[in-house]
Amino acid sequence: MCMTCGCGNSTETNIMIAKPGEINPENISLMIEHKHGHEHSHHTHHDHSHSKTVVEMEQDILKSNNMIAERNRGFFEAKKIFALNLVSSPGSGKTSFLEKTISNLKEEIPFYVIEGDQQTFQDAERIEALKTPVIQINTGQGCHLDSDMVHRALKKLNPEEDSVVMIENVGNLVCPALFDLGENSRIVLISVTEGDDKPIKYPDMFQSADICVINKIDLLPYVNFDIEKAKEYAMRVNHHLKFFEVSATTGVGMRTWYDWLVTCRTQ
Amino acid sequence: MHELSIVMSIVDTVEKEREKQQADTVESIELDIGMISGVEMEAFYFAWEAGVRKTKLEKTRLKINRPPAKAKCTECGQTFVATSSFDACPECENPFCDILSGKELRIKRMTVIKN
């Protein structure tokens, strides 16, 4: 069984963190280090007493992820980097949204990108075509990025001070919700080609996000998507959400988002 | 299925603590998994069986508490038990409420045995 997502029978998963075209990508094999305790041939001599101890833990289950996330956050803070974690279902337009943003703001803001996908360097190649430094994380069978993968990717990416780091998570509206990466803001994207009830079908993601981007609004005349209803559903889950209605393809609505990004990254 | 990541986190933490305690086995673990923590229990148990196979936790008993979701209305201030993260206030029907609890993911305590 794979460590991250539970599929397959393998007890290891191969996570790859590399630049596009890199010859010897750092290939991290994460073995589950099961301690194989010997089959205790059930006690030959039984003359000693067993002592029982209750250990009070009160510890967060995701403590190790959260600790590394805090370390990433400290790194960002020290270098005055603004870091964003983009989450959505596959196909909502995260990469197109990034491409448009980078193309229009790269003269103004130094961007660095971490791309998360199960397989391929397709997304990293799209970002590299914009002459923007990028690291691809292939999670193999994993369904989300965790803070340690991002930590390793950051070491390779080496983002400069006062830059913006965009982390595009694995396309999945469920699993990435629980894993803090150390970002300043979490952005959830939905597109109008999806159902407008997505926020209440997948509430965890909307609850953990700070920003909600509704993408592909140029397609609104052709689809049965009620934008006000979608926003109301999202607000029911998390009334602190800030919305942007955009089309990453035509560029409509993107200006407001750029203004937000330019202002927030220096705050 | 992020439940396996959760299971592996528990296994790591508990194994480290068992070694620290110089104990041989872990009799039981008590967990808090909140009702709206984002963990699907069926997937969790499935992942647990796979995750503890051939480890010292194979026979460990799990006690799982499910703290209920509690929310507070942003209009009238009413606190209530919610069934989801988007329940409307039962008092004034305001749909915008803050979640107070129910997202817990905690290892409460464990019982170890020294031979």
Side-chain angles (χ1 to χ4, degrees), chain A residues 52 55 113 149 153 157 171 195-196 209 218-219 225 232 260-261:
Chain A
K52 208 182 264 195
V55 188
V113 177
M149 295 175 197
L157 191 59
D196 47 26
D218 53 317
L219 299 180
F225 183 94
E232 202 219 304
W260 179 87
L261 181 59

Side-chain angles (χ1 to χ4, degrees), chain A residues 122-137:
Chain A
Q122 306 267 50
D123 283 359
E125 282 158 14
R126 284 168 65 179
I127 300 298
E128 203 186 35
L130 303 170
K131 300 192 169 35
T132 298
V134 58
I135 296 288
Q136 178 79 50
I137 303 176

Side-chain angles (χ1 to χ4, degrees), chain A residues 249-266:
Chain A
T249 306
T250 65
V252 71
M254 292 293 278
R255 189 71 254 170
T256 341
W257 148 249
Y258 298 154
D259 290 345
W260 179 87
L261 181 59
V262 169
T263 316
C264 280
R265 79 182 190 103
T266 51

Side-chain angles (χ1 to χ4, degrees), chain B residues 48-80:
Chain B
W48 179 262
E49 278 191 24
V52 298
R53 198 171 294 148
K54 293 191 180 139
T55 74
K56 291 209 168 185
L57 302 184
E58 210 166 7
K59 300 221 167 79
T60 301
R61 228 170 351 99
L62 279 182
K63 179 173 188 255
I64 299 180
N65 310 314
R66 305 295 316 273
K70 284 196 186 133
K72 188 177 182 180
C73 176
T74 51
E75 281 294 328
C76 73
Q78 168 89 0
T79 306
F80 60 95

